[in-house]
Structure formats: C-alpha cells, structure tokens
Amino acid sequence: QVQLVESGGGLVQAGGSLRLSCAASGRTLSSYVMAWFRQAPGKEREFVARITWSGGSTYYADSVKGRFTISRDKSKNTLYLQMNNLKPEETAVHYCAATPRSGRVIWKEYDYWGQGTQVTVSS
C-alpha cells in the first residue's frame, strides 16, 4: 500500500504560481512512477505530469510543458509540482497518484491516489 497526501493548493491570480506537494508513505517507492492529474468540474481526470521515482525521468502533457515542473525529494518521500503562469482554465482539483507500471497517462492505470487539493485560478 502507498498512502499519498497532497497539500499546497489555493487561490491564485492568472499568471501566478503555486507549488503542490504530495507526501508519500507506505511501501518503498523505488519501483513506482508518480504523477499529477487534475479534474475540473464536469470533466474527466486529466494527466499533467509524471516522474520515475528512482531515476527522475519526467514526462509532461503538452498543455503544461515549459510552465510546470514535476520533481521529487527522495529523502523526504515527497513529490512536487511547481506550476507557473497559471491560467483560469486550470482551475481544478489536483491529485497525485502512483503506479508500478511505466509510461502511463490514463488515470485508470494508477493504483494509489491522494485526496486531492483544490487549485483555483482567478482571471
């Protein structure tokens, strides 16, 4: 089992920045891929970015490339998402997730989820 707890959401103006954190506990994460997803009201959960816990290899959705950075701190067992130049349409609940499978961008292929943290971007 992997337990995930997100924090860092809030209200920010368009063009602003936020950093989300996801504290992980439970089994060792060395063989896992960690990711961030987001879900706006009435929409399907959407992939944002992922990182391999061991090697740090990253992959981003086209919509966030160049603005968002996913990272992890192994010593703290914490995943991060630095979000810059935020847009109002990115208002959503943001979730961190974990899977032992590589190369996945579909939310159904992730086994463990946090409770989510709300990000609201005002125009």
Side-chain angles (χ1 to χ4, degrees):
Q1 290 285 342
V2 176
Q3 291 80 43
L4 304 171
V5 179
E6 302 97 334
S7 61
L11 173 64
V12 64
Q13 289 187 331
S17 299
L18 278 176
R19 188 176 82 154
L20 305 183
S21 300
C22 174
S25 60
R27 63 174 57 182
T28 179
L29 298 174
S30 59
S31 60
Y32 279 77
V33 174
M34 306 293 292
W36 289 97
F37 286 79
R38 61 191 180 191
Q39 188 167 21
K43 294 189 176 181
E44 190 161 356
R45 198 164 294 191
E46 174 189 29
F47 171 80
V48 175
R50 69 171 187 247
I51 187 169
T52 58
W53 190 262
S54 58
S57 176
T58 60
Y59 180 78
Y60 296 90
D62 287 344
S63 60
V64 306
K65 280 181 184 176
R67 299 186 297 121
F68 289 15
T69 302
I70 188 171
S71 62
R72 85 276 189 248
D73 185 330
K74 290 182 177 181
S75 67
K76 296 182 179 179
N77 252 26
T78 301
L79 177 73
Y80 301 101
L81 184 68
Q82 176 66 44
M83 305 184 293
N84 298 329
N85 193 18
L86 281 159
K87 304 174 182 179
E89 55 266 35
E90 294 177 313
T91 293
V93 178
H94 285 61
Y95 298 90
C96 68
T99 180
R101 309 170 192 85
S102 61
R104 309 301 168 123
V105 298
I106 305 300
W107 68 268
K108 294 180 181 180
E109 297 176 302
Y110 283 75
D111 299 317
Y112 302 103
W113 292 87
Q115 82 288 353
T117 185
Q118 177 69 45
V119 171
T120 302
V121 186
S122 64
S123 56

